[in-house]
């Protein structure tokens, strides 16, 4: 990191010239994607300038500055100038307290636990400061150790970002208890809910796992309905204190319940499900569910909590997906769909034909170009993007099928699965620990994915859906997704 002081009373022209010189230097500075050592490092392109004028960032980066940029005014300001490693464009903005704290931690090699204790902060608060600095590109994190092996097929995909994950998510099904009984539920078995003391051990184990693998950790609380766990609020608080990214996959809840969560820390998003327009949805999920969910989306918006709606796509609701998305426009932040896994009670339903699904994906992709709230998730969309010569996206989990790669599903009794949507046990994380489960032979097999997809040109961002293949009675690690419509792999 380079820093430069200023003499009191520099002219606007002088400070602007200094800021632009720093921008040019940042653009020219070499910087890799990851830190060279095993710890965080300051981005070598970073410059920190003490200026006598404020709001010079936009003018330093662009001439003229972007429309709507604030006018420079006299006043002391520390200006951060840097180039994120994933772009050739330089950034310049006023340094914020968290930026300076992140730099202090790294430059002075401060112990994070001691720093948290000194500031009377939860340990996770310091971790979150570092994660935000890494996300901005101000700091470089050490190269993650969650990566596809050297022999993993690359196909036509040359982007290494689809092969190395900087984050790991535990999709934690805290309880099987649920206030709904949906027609496509994939698991209604009775499993004992994890007690609070054991839950804390899981969180500590997750923190140790993520630290050892050099990745940030996230917990997606699910169920059943996770809010029905008797100790949910305290488990959520413990996860927040450990700095994990938090999200909830649940059902509509009273406003007071969400206010309790927000008082601890707002989740990154709260996901609820709708299965089509009102009549079909309420047939699937129960009378009145559609209206309750729309009301709940309004509650989330009023409380500033990001919302997501997930639809489970079947042959019966495929024609309602886009009308539902249009009905939700302005009510929900993100709308996604997953294909039905024909397991559990979902075995009584059916998926569309391959030809109908291909047409639907084309329609959905076109609609997503008009509505940024439509999420792009299904791996098979990459087939269409490849045909068009458009950039590929990361698929279901950012890495195609991420089963047992950048996430694991944890059931209430500690049983871990590569993917919750179909039986894919890889061990017991409560008994043996996450590291042992993740490194198990069973988990490695699921990470390898479907053998029939190994020679596919888009394998790193696809791999089909193992759960869908299983639902059709196929062997998912040998036989490919039956709705895959790719030709000329």
């Amino acid at each position: 990191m380079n820093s430069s002081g200023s003499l009191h009373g520099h002219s606007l022209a002088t400070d602007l010239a200094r800021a632009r010189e720093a921008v040019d230097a940042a653009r020219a500075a070499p910087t890799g994607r990851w830190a060279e050592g095993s710890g965080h490092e300051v981005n070598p392109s970073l410059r920190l300038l003490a200026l006598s004028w404020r709001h010079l960032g936009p003018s330093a980066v662009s001439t003229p500055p972007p429309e709507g940029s604030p006018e420079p005014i006299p006043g002391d300001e520390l200006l951060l100038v840097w180039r994120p490693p994933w772009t050739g464009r330089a950034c310049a903005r006023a340094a914020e307290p968290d930026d300076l704290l992140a730099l202090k931690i790294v430059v002075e090699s401060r112990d994070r636990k001691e720093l948290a204790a000194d500031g009377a902060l939860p340990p996770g608060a310091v971790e979150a400061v570092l994660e935000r600095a890494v996300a901005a590109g101000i700091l470089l994190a050490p190269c993650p150790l969650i990566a596809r092996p050297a022999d993993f097929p690359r196909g036509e995909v040359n982007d290494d970002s689809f092969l190395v994950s900087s984050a790991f998510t535990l999709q934690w099904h805290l309880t099987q208890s649920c206030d709904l009984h949906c027609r496509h539920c994939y698991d209604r078995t009775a499993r004992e809910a994890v007690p609070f003391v054991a839950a804390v051990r899981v969180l500590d184990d997750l923190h140790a796992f993520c630290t050892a693998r050099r990745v940030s950790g996230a917990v997606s609380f699910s169920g059943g309905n996770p809010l029905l766990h008797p100790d949910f609020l305290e488990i959520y608080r413990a996860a927040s204190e450990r700095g994990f990214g938090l999200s909830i996959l649940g059902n509509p809840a009273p406003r007071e319940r969400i206010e309790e969560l927000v008082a601890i820390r707002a989740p990154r998003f709260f996901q609820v499900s709708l299965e089509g327009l009102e009549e079909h949805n309420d047939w699937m999920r129960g009378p009145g569910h559609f209206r309750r969910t729309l009301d709940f989306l309004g509650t989330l918006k009023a409380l500033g909590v990001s919302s997501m709606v997930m639809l489970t796509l079947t042959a019966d609701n495929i024609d309602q997906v886009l009308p539902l998305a249009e009905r939700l426009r302005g009510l929900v932040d993100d709308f996604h769909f997953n294909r039905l896994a024909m397991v559990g009670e979902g075995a009584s339903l059916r998926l569309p034909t391959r030809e109908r699904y291909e047409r639907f994906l084309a329609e959905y992709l076109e609609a997503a170009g008009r509505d940024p709230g439509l999420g792009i998730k299904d791996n098979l969309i990459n087939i269409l993007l490849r045909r068009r010569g458009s950039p590929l996206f990361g698929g279901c989990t950012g890495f195609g099928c991420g089963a047992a790669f950048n996430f694991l599903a944890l059931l209430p009794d500690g049983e871990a699965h590569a993917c919750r949507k179909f039986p894919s046990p890889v061990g017991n994380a409560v008994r043996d620990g996450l590291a042992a489960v993740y490194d198990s032979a069973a988990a490695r097999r699921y990470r390898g994915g479907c053998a029939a997809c190994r020679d596919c040109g888009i394998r790193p961002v696809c791999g089909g859906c193992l759960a869908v293949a299983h639902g059709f009675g196929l062997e998912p690690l040998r036989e490919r997704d039956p709705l895959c419509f790719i030709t000329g792999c």
Side-chain angles (χ1 to χ4, degrees), residues 9-18 52-54 56 59 72-73:
H10 266 164
S11 69
L12 173 58
T14 299
D15 269 1
L16 183 55
R18 294 174 60 231
S52 299
W53 288 78
R54 302 175 61 193
L56 291 187
S59 299
I73 59 174

Side-chain angles (χ1 to χ4, degrees), residues 74-414:
D76 292 338
E77 181 172 270
L78 285 175
L79 186 72
L80 280 178
V81 180
W82 79 103
R83 177 171 58 83
W86 50 85
T87 177
R89 297 186 298 274
C91 301
R93 62 168 171 78
E96 299 174 357
D98 278 2
D99 300 325
L100 300 177
L101 177 57
L103 293 172
K104 181 182 181 71
I105 293 169
V106 173
V107 172
E108 298 181 3
S109 300
R110 294 293 302 271
D111 182 273
R112 301 174 199 176
K113 290 183 179 179
E114 290 182 3
L115 193 63
D118 291 345
L121 298 170
V126 177
E127 300 287 347
V129 166
L130 291 174
E131 286 185 20
R132 287 193 291 271
V134 169
I138 293 168
L139 296 181
L140 304 183
C143 185
L145 300 180
I146 289 184
R148 298 295 193 185
D151 62 351
F152 190 82
R154 290 173 174 257
E156 306 161 4
V157 180
N158 297 317
D159 188 345
D160 287 346
S161 66
F162 295 133
L163 302 171
V164 180
S165 176
S166 60
F168 178 84
T169 298
L170 187 68
Q171 188 185 84
W172 197 356
H173 297 258
L174 281 176
T175 175
Q176 296 289 81
S177 298
C178 191
D179 43 329
L180 302 176
H181 192 140
C182 304
R183 294 177 182 269
H184 61 312
C185 183
Y186 43 72
D187 186 3
R188 298 288 297 184
T189 59
R191 295 175 186 262
E192 183 113 12
V194 60
F196 175 69
V197 173
V200 171
R201 288 199 297 267
V202 169
L203 292 171
D204 287 338
D205 185 33
L206 175 61
H207 188 273
F209 174 86
C210 291
T211 299
R213 307 295 165 124
R214 304 177 183 172
V215 295
S216 61
V219 182
S220 288
F221 290 109
S222 187
N225 182 355
L227 274 67
L228 296 182
H229 189 288
D231 299 313
F232 177 74
L233 194 65
E234 292 310 311
I235 294 173
Y236 184 88
R237 187 190 311 277
S240 176
E241 289 173 347
R242 286 154 180 78
F244 297 126
L246 303 176
S247 56
I248 298 173
L249 286 58
N251 299 333
R255 180 186 179 104
E256 298 75 22
R257 198 77 164 108
I258 308 306
E259 288 175 337
E260 291 177 328
L261 301 178
V262 171
I264 298 170
R265 177 165 35 114
R268 289 179 175 174
F269 62 87
F270 194 117
Q271 177 184 301
V272 291
S273 295
L274 288 171
E275 310 306 341
L277 299 174
E278 185 168 3
E279 181 178 358
H280 181 77
N281 177 83
D282 287 1
W283 176 76
M284 288 285 289
R285 289 191 166 264
H289 176 266
F290 188 88
R291 292 290 172 180
R292 290 198 307 274
T293 301
L294 263 57
D295 290 344
F296 181 63
L297 292 173
T299 297
L300 294 177
K301 184 178 288 291
L303 294 177
V305 176
S306 179
S307 61
M308 182 184 297
V309 165
M310 178 64 71
L311 175 143
T312 299
L313 184 141
T314 70
D316 297 318
N317 68 3
I318 190 169
D319 293 323
Q320 298 184 36
V321 176
L322 292 178
L324 175 63
E326 186 62 31
R327 173 72 174 81
L328 295 175
R329 190 185 288 225
L331 296 176
V332 67
D333 295 303
D334 292 291
F335 176 87
H336 291 268
F337 71 87
N338 270 324
R339 281 179 283 158
L340 169 75
M342 294 185 292
V343 298
E345 298 186 25
S348 64
L349 303 174
R350 60 195 177 97
L351 281 164
T353 64
R354 181 189 299 121
E355 294 73 21
R356 176 67 187 100
Y357 190 58
E358 179 181 357
R359 293 197 306 274
F360 164 76
L361 287 184
E363 296 163 1
Y364 187 90
L365 195 56
E366 181 180 351
R370 301 187 300 268
D371 182 357
L374 290 185
I376 304 297
K377 182 176 174 64
D378 193 296
N379 290 334
L380 300 188
I381 291 175
N382 274 312
I383 303 174
L384 298 177
L385 296 176
R386 179 199 193 209
R387 284 180 187 171
R388 300 176 184 184
S390 300
L392 304 178
F393 80 111
C396 182
T397 69
F399 305 91
C401 175
F405 176 60
N406 64 327
F407 78 92
L408 282 172
L410 183 63
L411 276 56
D413 56 5

Side-chain angles (χ1 to χ4, degrees), residues 36-53:
E36 294 182 2
S38 60
H40 288 79
E41 297 175 3
V42 177
N43 185 330
S45 71
L46 186 72
R47 271 68 177 162
L48 182 61
L49 279 71
L51 302 178
S52 299
W53 288 78

